[in-house]
Amino acid sequence: MLRTLLGEPARVNTGELKEAMDTMAKTLQLLGAAIDRGNDPSHDYRKLDIWTRGLMTSLDELEQSTFAASFFAAKVHSSSTEDMEPDEKADYARYVYFYKDGFIRMFAILDKLGNLLDDWYELHTSKVKVHFSYFTVLRQFEYLKQHMPLVQQLNDLKDQYSDSMNRLRKRRNTEIHHMNVEMVDDLWQKHQTLHGKVELEDLRSFTQDLELGLELVSKSVTAAFHYINNNWQKSTPKSKNSVKSSS
């Protein structure tokens, strides 16, 4: 959608994004077959079907915001907003909008994935923490010593992308709880000097973090749904919670 508005060709899914989408599509096929056979008396499959479709939409939206943030960042060449002409200042504002939209969506998708895994594997994470996050779900898996091969993959990905993810988390928390994230660096610079121009943040570094965040989300989704698909015969509504992997 955004590419069309920006005059760009439609996206063709490739790489980690394609693998994530294809893996979820496979899950939808398995769910559809099970529902058609009437094997869903408790509507567990229907719930997973709806959540999977929602994740596909959310992942698509995250990719679009990531693309748009980089698209507009590439149009910004001045080192300070004070040096910008109106058109460049508008492009900078668009970059900020999609960048912030992107990192908020990134953590929202991880939390949606955590909720899906918590429900499907009946972890009851809400008994540990009422408003839990994706990372709380990973810890709950470890505490219960369930599905450890999956948990190992997800933890490895979390560790692999920890630097960029921690920077994005800090910016997300600042944006939501304190002040607009693009103003934090401005405030720091104002503390250093009362005069002089406020330099822009490193747009390329910021958008690169967002691109890595998209990679993390895509790979985590792929790992989770591969695990669901590969254990499908053991994952009927009555037996799915009994499928436990050794630690």
Side-chain angles (χ1 to χ4, degrees), residues 44 116-125 140-141 144 146-147 236-242:
D44 286 6
L116 183 151
L117 294 173
D118 174 77
D119 184 83
W120 183 244
Y121 293 114
E122 298 179 354
L123 303 178
H124 305 294
T125 308
Q140 181 73 348
F141 270 122
L144 297 173
Q146 293 187 15
H147 310 285
T236 64
K238 289 185 178 180
S239 67
K240 66 177 186 293
N241 194 47
S242 65

Side-chain angles (χ1 to χ4, degrees), residues 48-138:
L48 182 58
D49 180 280
I50 291 170
W51 282 6
T52 302
R53 294 178 190 277
L55 271 176
M56 294 176 82
T57 298
S58 295
L59 185 56
D60 172 65
E61 292 168 345
L62 172 59
E63 191 284 331
Q64 292 187 64
S65 291
T66 302
F67 173 84
S70 296
F71 179 90
F72 287 113
K75 292 177 174 292
V76 177
H77 304 290
S78 299
S79 60
S80 170
T81 55
E82 297 174 44
D83 296 329
M84 293 179 183
E85 296 295 330
D87 286 349
E88 187 179 18
K89 190 171 289 187
D91 284 328
Y92 174 70
R94 294 179 185 111
Y95 147 76
V96 169
Y97 176 88
F98 286 111
Y99 171 70
K100 292 195 291 187
D101 184 73
F103 65 64
I104 290 171
R105 286 184 185 276
M106 173 199 158
F107 287 101
I109 294 175
L110 287 176
D111 287 345
K112 288 177 182 179
L113 177 61
N115 272 282
L116 183 151
L117 294 173
D118 174 77
D119 184 83
W120 183 244
Y121 293 114
E122 298 179 354
L123 303 178
H124 305 294
T125 308
S126 60
K127 292 182 179 179
V128 178
K129 187 177 182 181
V130 176
H131 302 293
F132 57 86
S133 71
Y134 169 75
F135 305 101
T136 314
V137 173
L138 295 187

